[in-house]
Amino acid sequence: MLKSSVAALVLCAALPASLQPAAAEGRSYNGTWAVQLVTDSGLCDSRYTVSLAINDGDVRVASAGEGGAMVSGRIGQDGNVGLTVRHGSASGAASGRLQANAGSGTWSVSSLCSGRWTAQRRSTRVAQAD
């Protein structure tokens, strides 16, 4: 059970939640993004992949099948991203930067594990909520 909770957090901690730009500022990053996470240290699996949707600067999990974690975050006009993820009692965070069609940064899940992430835009269409 702990492993699946950590996996859900790590999957969603790919795109990072402390920025507060206007909704239109993140518009150029709208779409569906494939995010790959690599664990550099800790108890998490070595690699994860998740699909995230960005709509007017807001970030959410693109599919309900991604472990049920709650994701909150924003993307600034300059591409800086911040994300907070909660799954049960565990929490995680990530930070980094997006460019037009790619991005990268770092993530951590409490004191359990940490690593780096990369993202590639897959579509400029925003996936509809499940």
Side-chain angles (χ1 to χ4, degrees):
M1 183 70 162
L2 174 63
K3 190 171 183 177
S4 64
S5 294
V6 170
L9 281 168
V10 171
L11 283 172
C12 296
L15 289 177
S18 60
L19 301 176
Q20 299 299 321
E25 291 181 349
R27 187 163 303 166
S28 64
Y29 304 105
N30 281 358
T32 303
W33 293 73
V35 182
Q36 295 77 40
L37 297 96
V38 175
T39 301
D40 291 328
S41 65
L43 303 173
C44 299
D45 287 345
S46 64
R47 191 171 295 270
Y48 299 93
T49 301
V50 66
S51 180
L52 297 178
I54 299 172
N55 186 19
D56 293 338
D58 291 318
V59 179
R60 68 173 173 82
V61 177
S63 171
E66 300 285 3
M70 299 296 296
V71 179
S72 61
R74 302 273 316 155
I75 300 175
Q77 185 176 15
D78 60 359
N80 283 322
V81 293
L83 183 75
T84 298
V85 181
R86 292 203 179 286
H87 190 271
S89 62
S91 64
S95 62
R97 186 173 181 124
L98 291 181
Q99 295 179 355
N101 293 306
S104 63
T106 59
W107 59 266
S108 65
V109 176
S110 303
S111 61
L112 296 176
C113 49
S114 62
R116 54 198 146 82
W117 61 265
T118 58
Q120 295 291 318
R121 189 193 310 243
R122 296 297 181 217
S123 169
T124 56
R125 291 185 51 208
V126 178
Q128 297 298 314
D130 292 340

